[in-house]
């Protein structure tokens, strides 16, 4: 079992920045890949960005050039730096981890690829 805990959500104005963090209950070095997803009421989860075990990243077109994913610290905390935020970025943001072995070392924006999820953190961007 792996627990994922997100932090850093909040309310900002359009154009401002936020940084989300995701802390896992154990070291993430062995995880094939991790990702950030987001969800707005009435819609399914949307893959925002994933990062593979060796650092390969995949971004959704809607956030390219504005969001940056990284892993840092001794336990490889997963971070999401969100810049130039827009009202359309308003959503609950979820951290996700693929823990089961996978031949895919690059990551995925497909929800079904992930084993574990955090509880989510709300990001609200007002115009």
């Amino acid at each position: 079992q792996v627990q994922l805990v997100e932090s850093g959500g909040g309310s900002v104005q359009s154009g401002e920045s936020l940084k989300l963090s995701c802390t896992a209950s154990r070291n993430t070095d062995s995880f094939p890949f991790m990702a950030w997803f987001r969800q707005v009421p009435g819609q399914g989860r949307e893959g925002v960005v994933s990062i593979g075990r060796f650092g390969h990243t995949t971004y959704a077109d809607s956030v390219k050039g504005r969001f940056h994913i990284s892993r840092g610290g001794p336990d490889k905390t997963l971070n999401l730096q969100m810049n130039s935020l827009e009202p359309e970025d308003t959503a609950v943001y979820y951290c996700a981890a693929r823990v089961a072995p996978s031949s895919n070392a690059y990551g995925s924006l497909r929800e079904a690829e992930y084993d574990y999820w955090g509880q989510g953190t709300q990001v609200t961007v007002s115009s």
Side-chain angles (χ1 to χ4, degrees), residues 33-38 44-51 58-60 96-98 102 104 106-117:
F33 43 89
M34 299 184 72
W36 289 96
F37 285 73
R38 64 187 182 186
R45 281 176 178 163
E46 173 194 18
V48 176
V49 56
S50 70
I51 184 166
T58 302
Y59 289 86
R98 170 64 178 252
S102 172
N104 176 5
Y106 295 98
S108 172
L109 296 181
R110 293 182 63 243
E111 185 178 357
E113 296 282 352
Y114 292 86
D115 307 306
Y116 293 94
W117 296 83

Side-chain angles (χ1 to χ4, degrees), residues 6-89:
E6 301 98 337
S7 60
S11 297
V12 296
Q13 298 287 318
S14 181
E16 293 183 342
S17 299
L18 274 177
K19 182 178 179 180
L20 305 182
S21 295
C22 173
T23 302
S25 56
R26 60 183 172 97
N27 193 294
T28 64
D29 268 349
S30 64
F31 297 177
F33 43 89
M34 299 184 72
W36 289 96
F37 285 73
R38 64 187 182 186
Q39 186 173 28
V40 298
Q43 298 184 22
R45 281 176 178 163
E46 173 194 18
V48 176
V49 56
S50 70
I51 184 166
R53 183 177 178 182
F54 303 111
H56 181 89
T57 56
T58 302
Y59 289 86
D61 288 343
S62 59
V63 305
K64 281 181 182 176
R66 299 188 299 122
F67 290 13
H68 177 69
I69 191 171
S70 64
R71 294 166 82 166
D75 292 328
K76 303 297 188 290
T77 297
L78 188 70
N79 301 303
L80 181 64
Q81 178 66 45
M82 305 185 295
N83 300 321
S84 302
L85 283 161
E86 304 167 351
E88 293 73 24
D89 296 316

